[in-house]
Each structure stands twice: as structure tokens, then as C-alpha cells.
Amino acid sequence: MEHEFDAEAYAKAAAAAAGLPLDPRHLPGVALNLRLAARMAEIVEAMPITPADEAAPVYVVAREVPK
Amino acid sequence: MISAATSAQSVRAGEVTATELVERALADIAARDGSYNAFTEVTASRARAEAASVDAAIAAGRDPGPLAGVPYAVKNLFDLEGITTLAGSVIEKDRAPAARDAFLVRQLQAAGAVCLGALNMDEYAYGFTTENSHYGPSRNPHDTARMTGGSSGGSAAAVAAGLVPLSLGSDTNGSIRVPASLCGIFGLKPTYGRLSRAGSYLFAGSFDHLGPFARDVRDLALVYDVLQGVDAEDHAQQWRPIEPASPILEAGVAGLRIAVAGGHFACNGHKEAFGAVEVVARALNVTAKIEIPHAATGRAAAFLITMAEGGNLHMPDLRMRPDDFDPMTRDRFLAGALLPAHWLMQAQRVRAAYRAAALKVFDEVDVVITPAAPYVAPLIGQQMVEVDGEEIPVRPNLGIFTQPISCIGLPALAVPLADPSAAGAPGGLPIGVQLIGAPWNEQALFRVAAVLERAGVVGSPADR
């Protein structure tokens, strides 16, 4: 994935979509961190999971506060 | 440095007043903190008022609490009433002062402890070094040219330098355990959900833990016991009974199954990190080895989730005033705000699967020993380090052994080698190991740490 990932182009497009002004001075550092994140994403993608594997955070509707 | 336990005993016995202790500590901070840059604010008026209150309680025959007159300080992401909570930033300087103390600060005050101030940290806790561009780097008391580690670097420096016997920090990916190792002190990251985080500035809430630093096991247990308590204001807190550590410090390790972790935890560092594990294992007669499955994957998941949660949290300021962020954190927050949703959700599902696999380890063992940090404290400003024959960035790698553990909320206690040279630590600089337990089994970690301390294997090495 990493070699195909144009981090600068992605950063510009995603920032525009998210309404995040991205100063060109910050772009190299942002792209560097996105490429690092892409390597982490590759590791995460490599772990076999099934549709039964739910996300870690679990919504709780209410809890009874102990006395 | 007089321990917290001894100080409290002396105050309770009327051998010294809390006011005398506080005045000594304030003078010491004024004289020496310039070398360490641990404090960003000294709360002298508050400290004097709290000390006077303790002394008044004793004079009136009331119980002043188990930490009577003990000085402490907190990472500057804890709310202190009347002071703006900086979280290492300049952006927060514009916010209103905190209306009341954080929950854990209130617990300490109720126990008679005296707050001396707020401590340096990486901006918004996003770092492992406390090289804060706004407030300057905190400096390692064992070599002021070196990092303290982070993000609770000021908290570690203040205790390691003997300015206070106790401090509080936070640990999202290793921010208590890494500086504890680099500064040669004890640091506890309890189970996720054990201690209330109400009144602290979060970073990545699904990983954020709070915990204490101390120079010996007895003090660490004493403060940990006081910090426990139910608080409805932290939605992540699990409302468990108080499970104190102080009463079990003499229990020994008989019956505990202990093993050294291999795989991910046996590479990615320097010889002193693994030497420290060997020294501790030998002292405990531990030969068993285990694997924490998918640890590297867990670290990757933590990396992505942290980026995304942090970026989202700071989006308003990233949009409006990105140049007011510390250059050390800004680009990471910006990138985190832009991660594809798929990466984040995959990381959250992998996190749960990794947790399920890792928890099976505790069917076989009670305590796992790993390195706490991959090497001794790097030089302030150092960019790269050689690991396993490869030049890699020094900063993110500091959390290589802690991140997989906080990712799934396991309790972990960082203990410093009393003699770092026994592990081959260059220059005798501090190095620690990480004791890891099953969820809610902090007591087992304290039992192991206490045995190691009594054997002289772990302990805060003397400041040089």
C-alpha cells in the first residue's frame, strides 16, 4: 500500500473535505505522518478478523451509580 | 529526599509541621528546578494554605490523613482550582482558570497531601520526550543533557530530582512508564478504568490513564491507595471496590506465576533494556517465557487510534490557529484529523481481537516482565538511534514496549534497576522494566515490585 500512497495529494483532498485549511508549509510534515500511519494501517490490515469481531469501544446507554 | 511515608509519619507524630515541610520544598524548588525545568507553575500560596490546614487539623486532634503534609505536584493537564490547565500548550492559556480540582487532586487533598504546583509535559501529551517548544525541555536529573522521557517528563524529573516525593502523570501510550524508566523511578499505569480521569485534559480518551510516580514501592502504594475511589463523572471508570496495595507489600511472590515476554518484547531495543529484564528475572528465579500474541499489531492499532482521537479533539484549533501548536505535535495532529475512517475502524476491531488473544496469556501467568523503554535516556534533540542495525527515529520508538499494553488497558508498573550498570546501561544511566498483570490485578505487580526492592534489585538509583 505504502508505495502507491500519494500522501500529499490525499492530505490536500481530505483536508478540503474536512474543512481543514492546510498551510503548504505544513504539508511535508503532514504527509510524512500520513505515510507513517499508512505503514501502521498495513500492519492492522494484515491481522485476520471476521465480521464477528466488533470494535473495541462499546456504547453503554446508562449505568447505575454506586451508592 | 525523605519519603512520603516517613514525612507523613513525622507530621502526624508532631515531629515536624506540614508548614515546615512545605517551606523546605518551596526553597528547594526555587534553588534547583532551574536545572530540570520540571515545574511550569509553583502554587506556593495554595501549598501554604493546605499545609496550614493540615497543621490546624493536628492541633485540633483531628486525623490529618495518611499523606499528612506530603508535598506533591501534578502534570499540567490536571485541573488545579484557580489556575488555567495548560496541557503543555500555549493555546490553552486563553482559557478560563479551572473551577475546581481534578478528582485525583481532591483525593490527595483529602488525604492531607500538599500540592506544590504543575509540571512540564509534551504538548497535549502527544510525545515521549517532553521536549516542549513553548516551555523548554524537562531535563533528566541523572544527566541534564538528556531527555526525561514523556509525556509526563516534568512529573518524572520532579520526583527523580527529589523536589517532591510524589507526582501524578498520565499514560496514553507509555507516558508514565517511559519517563519512569528513563529517570530511574517507579511509575504505575493502573488498569484502564481504575482511576477517575475527571478534571484532566484528555488526549486520546479510549487510552488515557492517570497514575502516580514515586521513589519507592511503599510510597507508590500509599498514593495509589488514596487515589482510588468512585467518581460518576468519568464515564470510563469501572466502579470497583478499593483494592489497596499497601497491605499486601509483605505478601511475597509465592503462588504467583511469572514469565518473561519474548517476540516483540525481545527485540526493537538496546542491550540494556533486555539486560534489565534478565536481571529482574534472575532475581525472581523466573525462567518461563511467554508470547503476548499480536503485540506489534496492537501497537499499530494504538498508533492509529491515538492519531485519530487526538486530531479530532483539536480540530477547532487546527482549523483556526495551527501555528500556535508546538511544531513537535502539530503535523501529527493535522495528519490524525485526516485519517481514512476505514483505518480507524479496522484498528478498533483489531484492538478488540488483540485484547481477546492477549488476555489468554493470563490463563497461564499472573505477571509478565518486559522492558519498559528500549534504551536509556537519549540526548535532548537527538533525532535518530540505531536499533537492530537500522537507523530509526528515536522518539516514537520510545513507546515500542508500552504502547501494546496501554492499547488494551492492562495494569503495568515500571520499576527502575537499582544498579543500571548490572544491565549494561551505558554510563550507568537509569533503565527499568515493566511488570504487567491481568486487568485489576495491580496487587500482584506491587507484590513483585516489593520483593525486588527488598532484594535490592530495583530502587531509585542515587542521583549523580
Side-chain angles (χ1 to χ4, degrees), chain A residues 10 15 18-19 25-26 29-30 33-34 36-38 40-41 44-45 47 49-50 53-57 63-64 66, chain B residues 230 234-235 237 239 294 300-301 303-304 319 323 330-332 334-335 338-340 342-343 346 348-352:
Chain A
Y10 172 82
R25 293 177 296 116
H26 302 156
V30 172
N33 281 284
L34 283 171
L36 183 55
M40 296 296 172
V44 165
E45 294 270 15
M47 183 165 174
I49 56 173
T50 73
D53 288 302
E54 292 191 57
R63 294 197 294 170
E64 187 175 345
Chain B
V230 167
D234 181 355
H235 80 119
Q237 193 187 31
W239 295 323
H294 307 297
F303 191 99
L304 292 169
R319 284 183 172 130
D323 283 317
R330 181 194 55 230
D331 295 348
R332 277 182 284 162
L334 285 167
L338 301 175
L339 293 193
H342 166 69
W343 290 0
Q346 185 75 8
Q348 290 287 18
R349 292 172 65 205
V350 160
R351 181 186 182 193

Side-chain angles (χ1 to χ4, degrees), chain B residues 36-41 74-77 87-88 118-123 130-139 148-157:
Chain B
Y36 312 121
N37 197 28
F39 281 80
T40 52
E41 178 130 9
V74 299
K75 187 173 184 175
N76 72 26
L77 54 62
L119 299 161
N120 204 356
M121 57 181 283
D122 289 281
E123 185 183 58
T130 316
E131 297 170 296
N132 187 302
S133 303
H134 307 306
Y135 303 100
S138 56
R139 296 183 176 278
T148 54
S151 62
S152 310
S155 304

